[in-house]
């Protein structure tokens, strides 16, 4: 009976195909980490309850990653739109492996650069691109706005800064559970927390 590939073997296949760079660190747990240019990546795969393969990719800013690591980093989490449909590859089944790797490629290539990351963080909800989407819960919106402001300021993206400031001026966001989230108040809280680990003040609009 043909045995299933291990998680590290699947990720090794991604490295051989060039989807993941050779400098990446693959663990037996089914995750792989690397930094490429201005962005840092953490990709992991797991087996769902029905045996399907699922993958996720965290794409973050390499410069601020370590400082904001206690808060999950300055990153977006990318997932497949159609989860629960990829069969876990078996040893010797090249076709199913290539299908999985093609799906993962959408997540790894989702964020183009730091400016794109800053723009994604400032979005209120999920962002869909092709076969993948950036999962962005409404409750994290104020925190993401602050992260986006820090990143946009670092790259001098003035148009984006103006857009973020305008979004921060909104009063209340109604969450899916019906609760009200005060955007400016929550953003001020997160700006204070991030300032502590970044070592500089994050000025917010009045």
């Amino acid at each position: 009976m043909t045995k299933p590939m291990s998680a590290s073997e699947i990720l090794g296949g991604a490295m051989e195909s060039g989807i993941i760079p050779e400098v990446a660190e693959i663990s037996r747990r089914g995750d792989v980490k690397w930094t490429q240019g201005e962005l840092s990546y953490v990709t992991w795969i797991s087996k769902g309850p029905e045996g399907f393969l699922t993958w996720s990719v965290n794409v973050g800013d390499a410069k601020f990653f370590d400082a904001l690591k206690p808060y999950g980093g300055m990153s977006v989490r990318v997932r497949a739109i159609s989860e629960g449909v990829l069969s876990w590859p078996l040893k010797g089944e090249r076709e199913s492996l290539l299908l999985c790797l093609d799906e993962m490629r959408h997540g790894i290539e989702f964020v183009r650069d730091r400016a794109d990351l800053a723009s994604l963080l400032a979005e209120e909800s999920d962002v869909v691109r092709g076969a993948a989407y950036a999962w962005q819960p409404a409750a994290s919106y104020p925190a993401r706005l602050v992260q986006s402001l820090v990143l946009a300021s670092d790259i001098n993206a003035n148009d984006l800064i103006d857009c973020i400031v305008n979004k921060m001026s909104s009063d209340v966001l109604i969450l899916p559970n019906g609760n009200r989230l005060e955007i400016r108040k929550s953003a001020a809280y997160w700006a204070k927390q991030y300032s502590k680990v970044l070592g500089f003040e994050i000025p917010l609009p009045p």
Side-chain angles (χ1 to χ4, degrees), residues 34-47:
W34 74 96
T35 297
Q36 192 165 5
E38 301 174 328
L39 301 175
S40 61
Y41 300 81
V42 180
T43 301
W44 61 93
I45 58 176
S46 60
K47 186 177 291 186

Side-chain angles (χ1 to χ4, degrees), residues 55 78-82 102-103 106-107 110 127-134:
W55 60 265
V78 184
R79 294 175 169 177
I81 291 178
S82 54
D102 186 59
E103 283 268 345
H106 290 291
F110 194 91
V127 177
V128 177
R129 292 178 177 173
Y133 72 100

Side-chain angles (χ1 to χ4, degrees), residues 137-155:
S140 68
Y141 181 50
R144 288 188 282 103
L145 282 177
V146 177
Q147 292 185 11
S148 180
L149 180 61
V150 171
L151 186 49
S153 298
D154 194 65
I155 61 177

Side-chain angles (χ1 to χ4, degrees), residues 15 65 70 80 104 111 117 130 165 182 194 205-206:
M15 185 176 290
F65 180 81
M104 290 172 58
V111 181
L117 176 60
V165 169
E182 297 183 33
Y194 295 155

Side-chain angles (χ1 to χ4, degrees), residues 10-205:
I10 295 173
L11 294 173
M15 185 176 290
E16 291 176 5
S17 66
I19 297 175
I20 294 174
E22 293 183 356
V23 296
E25 300 176 5
I26 299 176
S27 77
R28 292 184 177 181
R29 299 187 304 273
D31 63 70
V32 55
K33 304 176 183 179
W34 74 96
T35 297
Q36 192 165 5
E38 301 174 328
L39 301 175
S40 61
Y41 300 81
V42 180
T43 301
W44 61 93
I45 58 176
S46 60
K47 186 177 291 186
E50 297 182 5
F52 292 106
L53 182 147
T54 61
W55 60 265
S56 295
V57 182
N58 270 19
V59 186
D61 183 68
K63 179 176 180 178
F64 295 117
F65 180 81
D66 287 339
L68 290 180
K69 196 171 183 179
Y71 300 101
M74 184 181 288
S75 63
V76 294
R77 176 170 294 187
V78 184
R79 294 175 169 177
I81 291 178
S82 54
E83 293 186 338
V85 298
L86 287 175
S87 298
W88 191 276
L90 301 177
K91 292 180 182 292
E93 289 190 356
R94 184 69 177 171
E95 185 175 344
S96 60
L97 174 60
L98 291 176
L99 183 61
C100 291
L101 298 183
D102 186 59
E103 283 268 345
M104 290 172 58
R105 187 192 300 273
H106 290 291
I108 294 171
E109 298 178 350
F110 194 91
V111 181
R112 293 184 289 271
D113 50 30
R114 296 183 85 201
D116 190 35
L117 176 60
S119 180
L120 287 168
L121 287 167
E123 292 295 331
E124 183 178 325
S125 56
D126 297 349
V127 177
V128 177
R129 292 178 177 173
Y133 72 100
W135 179 62
Q136 307 205 115
S140 68
Y141 181 50
R144 288 188 282 103
L145 282 177
V146 177
Q147 292 185 11
S148 180
L149 180 61
V150 171
L151 186 49
S153 298
D154 194 65
I155 61 177
N156 297 314
N158 294 324
D159 289 343
L160 180 56
I161 291 173
D162 292 340
C163 178
I164 296 167
V165 169
N166 184 57
K167 290 182 176 183
M168 282 185 176
S169 66
S170 302
D171 290 327
V172 175
L173 177 66
I174 305 300
L175 300 177
N177 61 6
N179 290 340
R180 295 163 60 88
L181 179 63
E182 297 183 33
I183 295 177
R184 282 182 289 186
K185 182 178 180 180
S186 181
Y189 167 81
W190 286 111
K192 184 177 181 179
Q193 302 308 309
Y194 295 155
S195 292
K196 294 176 183 177
V197 295
L198 289 172
F200 57 80
E201 293 297 319
I202 304 173
L204 299 183

